Amino acid sequence: MTPTPARIATLDVIRGVAVMGILAANIAAFGLPEFAYMTPASMGWPSTPDLIAWVTTFIVIDGKMRGLFSFLFGASMMLVIDRARARDEDPATVHLWRMAWLFVFGIAHLYLLWWGDILTQYALVGAFAFMFVRLPVRWLIGIGLACIAVQMVELTTLVAYAFDLHASAHKAGAAPRVVANWQRLADQFGQPSPAVIARDLAIGRGGWRDLVAWRWTHAAGPITSLTVNGPETLGFMLFGMAGLRSGFLTGQWTRRRYRVIAVAGIGIGWLCYAAIAAFAIAHRFDARYVALSWLALATPLRPPTIMGYAAAIILLARRDGWLTPRLSAAGRMAFSNYLGTTLICTTVFYGYGLGLYGGLSRAQLYLIVVAVWLLMLAWSKPWLDRFRYGPLEWLWRSFARFAWQPMRGSAFAVNR
């Protein structure tokens, strides 16, 4: 038997940054109506602090943290498969049971807690991604780029449809059906009617049973979510697998190469995202231009920007200090921290908790983000000093292996 590969510290640090960043991306979806996620102007022109908060999040966070997390998911998936082979286990069985139980967790998360679940999509795409684990790096990158191209075609078609539908709905004598179709599309991209605003606020401020009933009938299901960004998610996972195989994500490249990738990826990405943000503002967040900005223009920029982020974090991981081990621990418990943020934020915002849904401005929401970040950094390392896994990591591992896994003992004292 070949020895089980040692845990790769850089992956944990990158995952820690990603899971914290995902909260910053999702906070508007927790605390505000769904249609406010893409634009700060859905319920009136934003204040200066709210506009700054949106611009900053759009440039630095949105899409990049989800993509970074998807990179890490692909890399971690390949590690699990490699370790299964090292233990003479069937890698397909190990992997597919993990994805099956992740899907179960995701379904519970989606319908019982929050409409913005990503776990079900990761489970389905991750199961499909098993087909590619034996491919060489160049093929993983090539197929990943093809997935991004497919996503671009899909989203560009949707944007073209939005412009065409708007033109048809605003013609003299437009059919009521066409006008209604445009309004439904405008609702999704930040131009909702007053009735839709009032309905969404009432739903978010309701009780738990009411919210579960609404999600059961209205939330996008696991299969529907695949049509939204499934190809992109698969592409990111394949890039993560290539990053692991090439040594990029494991920190094996030279400092100079990481520095060049970080500066180029982040610099060019941020400049282009800033231009897109200015473009959306110049068009006063018209639904058509919000769709164009978020979907068609931003999508091709994400892969190089995410590569830049990963390179910068790897450079950070090489430094000693108090932050790196805290980020590593948060990343090692990413599953627990991801679902933990849902429990905290839904309790803070929904009607069965503190009822702050729609009550804080976009800028004020980030005070919640900072508080939860501090909590993640504060609890993850002490927990792992005493236990081998985060609580949900332990549960997921136990279910997938059909046996309760040993829990007591420091996670840092064992090779897991």
Side-chain angles (χ1 to χ4, degrees):
M1 259 177 97
T2 56
T4 301
R7 191 169 189 95
I8 301 170
T10 53
L11 298 186
D12 290 329
V13 177
I14 298 171
R15 193 182 296 109
V17 173
V19 75
M20 293 173 67
I22 284 173
L23 173 61
N26 287 344
I27 194 63
F30 281 121
L32 297 171
E34 182 178 351
F35 48 74
Y37 182 78
M38 290 186 175
T39 167
S42 58
M43 295 184 285
W45 191 255
S47 66
T48 298
D50 286 350
L51 189 59
I52 292 172
W54 177 82
V55 169
T56 303
T57 306
F58 180 75
I59 293 172
V60 178
I61 299 293
D62 282 323
K64 295 83 164 172
M65 296 302 144
R66 176 178 58 83
L68 194 61
F69 206 73
S70 302
F71 268 46
L72 269 294
F73 191 91
S76 298
M77 182 186 80
M78 186 165 279
L79 273 176
V80 169
I81 291 168
D82 287 347
R83 288 169 177 169
R85 289 197 181 102
R87 291 190 293 264
D88 285 339
E89 297 173 338
D90 178 34
T93 300
V94 170
H95 173 66
L96 293 177
W97 273 119
R98 291 182 80 249
M99 295 302 100
W101 280 109
L102 184 64
F103 185 80
V104 172
F105 281 113
I107 287 292
H109 182 228
L110 171 62
Y111 291 114
L112 299 182
L113 295 175
W114 186 52
W115 60 267
D117 171 74
I118 195 67
L119 300 178
T120 52
Q121 183 179 113
Y122 276 20
L124 294 173
V125 175
F128 182 72
F130 183 79
M131 297 171 54
F132 305 99
V133 294
R134 291 186 178 275
L135 293 180
V137 169
R138 65 180 182 276
W139 276 94
L140 291 171
I141 294 173
I143 298 172
L145 290 172
C147 291
I148 303 299
V150 169
Q151 186 78 67
M152 278 295 303
V153 171
E154 178 185 343
L155 297 180
T156 302
T157 301
L158 176 58
V159 171
Y161 171 71
F163 275 84
D164 182 65
L165 186 59
H166 176 271
S168 299
H170 288 80
K171 285 181 180 177
R177 177 181 57 82
V178 174
V179 174
N181 287 341
W182 164 249
Q183 187 56 55
R184 279 194 292 271
L185 192 64
D187 290 343
Q188 298 176 32
F189 292 104
Q191 285 185 327
S193 66
V196 170
I197 293 174
R199 182 202 66 189
D200 200 296
L201 288 173
I203 290 168
R205 293 167 180 170
W208 180 77
R209 290 184 181 179
D210 296 330
L211 281 160
V212 170
W214 181 87
R215 283 190 291 266
W216 183 255
T217 55
H218 292 88
I223 304 302
T224 302
S225 73
L226 289 178
T227 65
V228 177
N229 52 19
E232 183 182 52
T233 299
L234 176 60
F236 289 159
M237 288 184 186
L238 297 180
F239 292 152
M241 293 158 67
L244 182 75
R245 284 285 186 256
S246 67
F248 171 74
L249 286 176
T250 56
Q252 296 176 26
W253 292 13
T254 65
R255 183 178 296 274
R256 183 178 181 278
R257 291 182 73 183
Y258 286 120
R259 190 181 298 116
V260 169
I261 293 170
V263 171
I266 296 173
I268 295 172
W270 282 7
L271 285 173
C272 292
Y273 274 102
I276 296 171
F279 175 76
I281 294 169
H283 287 88
R284 298 191 66 81
F285 295 105
D286 180 291
R288 294 166 296 168
Y289 293 94
V290 169
L292 177 61
S293 300
W294 266 81
L295 304 181
L297 298 180
T299 297
L301 295 172
R302 279 196 281 270
T305 308
I306 293 165
M307 287 284 290
Y309 278 29
I313 298 167
I314 290 168
L315 290 174
L316 170 67
R318 291 178 174 181
R319 296 185 176 183
D320 294 327
W322 70 270
L323 182 59
T324 300
R326 294 276 174 176
L327 287 171
S328 178
R332 198 158 178 168
M333 292 176 53
F335 190 25
S336 295
N337 280 318
Y338 173 72
L339 290 183
T341 58
T342 295
L343 290 172
I344 292 171
C345 290
T346 52
T347 301
V348 167
F349 293 112
Y350 287 161
Y352 55 81
L354 299 182
L356 295 181
Y357 187 75
L360 299 180
S361 70
R362 185 178 292 265
Q364 290 171 335
L365 292 175
Y366 290 93
L367 298 175
I368 306 293
V369 172
V370 172
V372 178
W373 280 355
L374 292 174
L375 182 61
M376 280 189 199
L377 294 175
W379 90 289
S380 299
K381 189 175 184 301
W383 177 278
L384 291 178
D385 284 337
R386 295 166 176 80
F387 300 102
R388 295 187 178 195
Y389 313 104
L392 287 177
E393 284 78 7
W394 171 77
L395 199 61
W396 183 20
R397 187 181 180 96
S398 296
F399 285 173
R401 291 176 176 269
F402 297 96
W404 298 118
Q405 300 297 296
M407 183 65 163
R408 292 193 174 275
S410 172
F412 306 112
V414 293
N415 177 26
R416 294 280 176 178

